[in-house]
Amino acid sequence: MAESATDRALAAAAAPSRASPLNGLSRPLWVLFGLCVVLALGLRLPQLDRRPMHNDEAVNALKFKQLWEQGKYRYDPNEHHGPTLDYFALALGRLTRGPDFDHYTEARLRLETVLFGLGLVLVLPLLADALGRRATLWAALFTAVSPALVFYSRYFIHETLFVFFTLLALAAGWRYWRSRRFAWLALAAVALGLVIATKETFVITLGAAVCAVGLNQTWNRLLDASGPPVKAPPLKPAHLAAAFALCALVWAVFFSSFFTNPAGLLDSFRTFAPWISRAGGESPHVHPWYFYLHRLLWFHAGKGPVWTEAVVFVLALLGAASGFTRRRLGHGNASFVRFLACYTFLLTAFYSLLAYKTPWCLLSFWSGAVLLAGVGAAVLVRRARQWQGRAAWRLVLLAGAGYLGWQAWQLDTAYAADPRNPYVYAQTVPNLLELVGKIQAVTAASPDGRNTVIKVIAPEDDYWPLPWYLRSFKRVGWWNRIPSDPFAPIMVVSAQFNAQLDRAHTHLMVGYFELRPQVFLELYVQKDLWSAYLKQRPPQPEE
């Protein structure tokens, strides 16, 4: 019986390849890929300190403080996610000779996630023979300009690290499947260990990947049941055992705080109890199933612009379909594209159906959609038979990418903390920086300076990120209700307490500031300190 084209394609996909994954990109493609890298950095790096710290960023920063100043880290199974964010911040701080924590800036902290966001582009050549060479280039462009990927790579939170380690594990796993070289499997194992050590939602990602492999293999068998079976070379048990050991070692190293906190290993399992409760709805972050798609595909709030990444969504559907039809994939691998399609769909469905939702969680499935969009873009160009048609489609796709890049820039500059931004969520209002500036100015007039006593009285969720902004003050106290003796030279009090502490006639309420939308703080200052402050700032004559 003659061998069919499908059989030959399957056999080629299954046969180990010793070629470098980077050999498939020609010099012009490398130049274009380099431009994508520059574009990715250009959208992520500027004005990193423009947006005030989100409360989650501030919590992470204060967690890092203990590691930076004392060399100590203890994993908390109830909050804060995994330890990789802190340890990689420590490594970056050491490499760049970071200052003392009081002089750490928002930009310095966020540089870590910028670099991992850039890594999402840099790792893509490892998939050049999986997605296809031109599809890889389109995927690099869309990764560089995707507003969601750009916006959250400028956040000092775990998600960008999580998505990067996941992509690295997938890419290295693919390279091992193609070559059977243990070095690739070792890299995949280390990357998977880092995924586990980054965020508890690794169980969702790992489950989706395993299910996608099963669905893809089932499709392969059903699709080609009439032809001779094609078997991939067997996996070596010794390789698998060593990879499992490497993955476990990475998990143990990070959760035990480099073997200084053995209890952290058990805590890495205990953490699922509180997180499962939140996932089931015991959380204020409960939203409808379309929460993510609403933000990604069509978001229009107030008089703001329309934000949409629909071009990525449509191209991702086209790319996924091409994996199942095996049409116009060029040098891409249909089996890998099908796996990626199943994996992305499963993640999208699970995160959409899960009651607990915060917008940055969408990165887990959207990163897969962006890769599929690269495949879809290459397929779309190949549909045109004449060079004029291909050129026209390339211009259309470049225009779509340009619009995505424009949105990414606007979201990171003019709309960085604006509630009309689809990716802003419980974001600190810039008005809080005026409160911080006022406190700094008033303490400059105090004989105690940075040692001036400051009392912050507010529910815990309603004073973050103030601990970050007041980190250089040495005598700051925190209360979640009005204490028996609330008075101090400076008091910051939640407006919901209706404290009216100026009725004591020893203090003045000198300002009303917004922390987050509809969350307000009052600033009280002792009268004599306020007078000293005013003496340093005489009124300016009117022109």
Side-chain angles (χ1 to χ4, degrees):
M1 180 182 295
E3 186 180 33
S4 69
T6 299
D7 295 330
R8 291 194 297 271
L10 283 171
S17 170
R18 295 288 177 178
S20 166
L22 307 183
N23 289 343
L25 295 181
S26 63
R27 182 174 296 178
L29 291 182
W30 272 117
V31 172
L32 294 174
F33 179 77
L35 292 176
C36 291
V37 173
V38 172
L39 179 60
L41 193 60
L43 287 174
R44 286 162 173 79
L45 192 58
Q47 303 182 47
L48 277 176
D49 57 353
R50 183 182 182 109
R51 177 178 50 79
M53 289 284 272
H54 187 276
N55 57 319
D56 285 358
E57 291 184 285
V59 169
N60 290 331
L62 270 294
K63 185 78 172 174
F64 167 67
K65 176 184 179 181
Q66 185 179 29
L67 181 61
W68 181 246
E69 293 185 340
Q70 304 173 27
K72 296 179 180 179
Y73 176 90
R74 293 294 181 269
Y75 172 67
D76 184 347
N78 298 302
E79 295 287 352
H80 308 149
H81 301 304
T84 57
L85 182 72
D86 301 271
Y87 278 109
F88 279 97
L90 176 67
L92 183 61
R94 294 270 175 84
L95 287 172
T96 59
R97 298 183 180 181
D100 63 274
F101 188 76
D102 287 352
H103 292 89
Y104 248 84
T105 63
E106 294 90 335
R108 177 176 278 276
L109 284 173
R110 291 167 176 165
L111 179 61
E112 175 189 358
T113 50
V114 165
L115 294 177
F116 279 102
L118 183 65
L120 291 173
V121 179
L122 293 174
V123 79
L124 289 180
L126 296 179
L127 295 172
D129 55 350
L131 302 174
R133 295 193 290 266
R134 286 172 175 76
T136 299
L137 185 61
W138 285 113
L141 176 60
F142 292 134
T143 301
V145 301
S146 166
L149 296 182
V150 172
F151 190 75
Y152 289 126
S153 67
R154 295 162 56 87
Y155 256 63
F156 187 62
I157 56 177
H158 296 73
E159 267 62 28
T160 298
L161 276 71
F162 183 80
V163 173
F164 171 79
F165 294 137
T166 301
L167 180 59
L168 181 61
L170 291 176
W174 168 253
R175 297 259 52 85
Y176 175 71
W177 180 259
R178 294 284 288 157
S179 69
R180 292 300 193 266
R181 291 180 177 175
F182 177 71
W184 289 117
L185 186 60
L187 178 59
V190 169
L192 180 58
L194 291 169
V195 171
I196 294 170
T198 300
K199 202 176 176 192
E200 301 76 12
T201 50
F202 79 88
V203 294
I204 302 174
T205 297
L206 188 58
V210 171
C211 289
V213 168
L215 290 172
N216 188 41
Q217 293 303 311
T218 300
W219 177 274
N220 284 341
R221 289 195 296 271
L222 293 176
L223 181 66
D224 297 288
S226 60
V230 178
K231 294 184 179 180
L235 301 175
K236 297 180 180 180
H239 284 187
L240 297 178
F244 180 83
L246 270 175
C247 182
L249 178 63
V250 172
W251 160 78
V253 164
F254 278 92
F255 279 107
S256 69
S257 304
F258 285 76
F259 305 111
T260 62
N261 176 37
L265 301 179
L266 185 58
D267 286 339
S268 71
F269 294 97
R270 288 175 176 159
T271 189
F272 291 104
W275 287 109
I276 288 174
S277 296
R278 291 167 191 160
E282 295 182 15
S283 166
H285 306 294
V286 173
H287 299 285
W289 69 268
Y290 52 83
F291 177 80
Y292 297 120
L293 295 180
H294 174 219
R295 277 158 172 70
L296 287 165
L297 303 185
W298 189 268
F299 189 89
H300 185 209
K303 296 182 179 180
V306 172
W307 310 102
T308 176
E309 297 193 49
V311 63
V312 171
F313 184 77
V314 172
L315 290 172
L317 292 178
L318 180 59
S322 69
F324 288 94
T325 63
R326 299 177 177 274
R327 299 183 63 187
R328 300 186 177 91
L329 282 175
H331 294 90
N333 183 279
S335 185
F336 183 87
V337 174
R338 279 196 305 274
F339 159 78
L340 184 61
C342 293
Y343 169 77
T344 302
F345 174 79
L346 289 169
L347 279 181
T348 304
F350 193 91
Y351 276 104
S352 296
L353 295 175
L354 202 65
Y356 178 95
K357 294 180 179 68
T358 50
W360 38 83
C361 289
L362 63 81
L363 296 189
S364 288
F365 64 83
W366 196 244
S367 59
V370 169
L371 299 188
L372 288 171
V375 177
V379 168
L380 194 61
V381 172
R382 290 191 191 99
R383 289 174 64 92
R385 296 184 179 182
Q386 303 296 326
W387 71 266
Q388 296 93 334
R390 292 193 293 271
W393 275 122
R394 290 189 183 105
L395 288 175
V396 170
L397 291 168
L398 288 173
Y403 180 58
L404 292 174
W406 175 84
Q407 290 182 84
W409 180 260
Q410 291 297 313
L411 292 172
D412 285 328
T413 53
Y415 293 87
D418 196 307
R420 293 172 294 179
N421 178 331
Y423 306 120
V424 158
Y425 186 76
Q427 174 60 48
T428 305
V429 174
N431 184 232
L432 182 70
L433 301 182
E434 298 179 22
L435 167 63
V436 175
K438 183 72 73 175
I439 292 173
Q440 292 171 339
V442 170
T443 55
S446 169
D448 294 326
R450 296 277 171 171
N451 288 315
T452 302
V453 175
I454 301 172
K455 290 186 177 181
V456 180
I457 307 168
E460 183 176 3
D461 290 342
D462 290 344
Y463 63 66
W464 286 95
L466 271 179
W468 160 260
Y469 286 110
L470 300 182
R471 64 193 182 280
S472 63
F473 293 91
K474 307 307 178 186
R475 300 174 69 189
V476 182
W478 308 88
W479 285 264
N480 58 15
R481 62 179 63 88
I482 297 179
S484 57
D485 179 17
F487 295 102
I490 297 176
M491 295 108 70
V492 180
V493 185
S494 171
Q496 75 179 62
F497 289 155
N498 193 26
Q500 300 182 359
L501 297 178
D502 49 347
R503 288 185 174 182
H505 304 296
T506 58
H507 290 71
L508 296 172
M509 202 276 275
V510 298
Y512 195 66
F513 302 89
E514 193 172 16
L515 174 75
R516 287 189 297 277
Q518 306 305 311
V519 177
F520 295 92
L521 298 171
E522 299 170 340
L523 176 63
Y524 292 87
V525 179
Q526 207 168 44
K527 282 186 173 180
D528 56 350
L529 178 55
W530 185 250
S531 297
Y533 162 76
L534 292 179
K535 286 180 181 178
Q536 291 187 356
R537 284 167 173 73
Q540 298 297 318
E542 295 184 3
E543 295 183 0

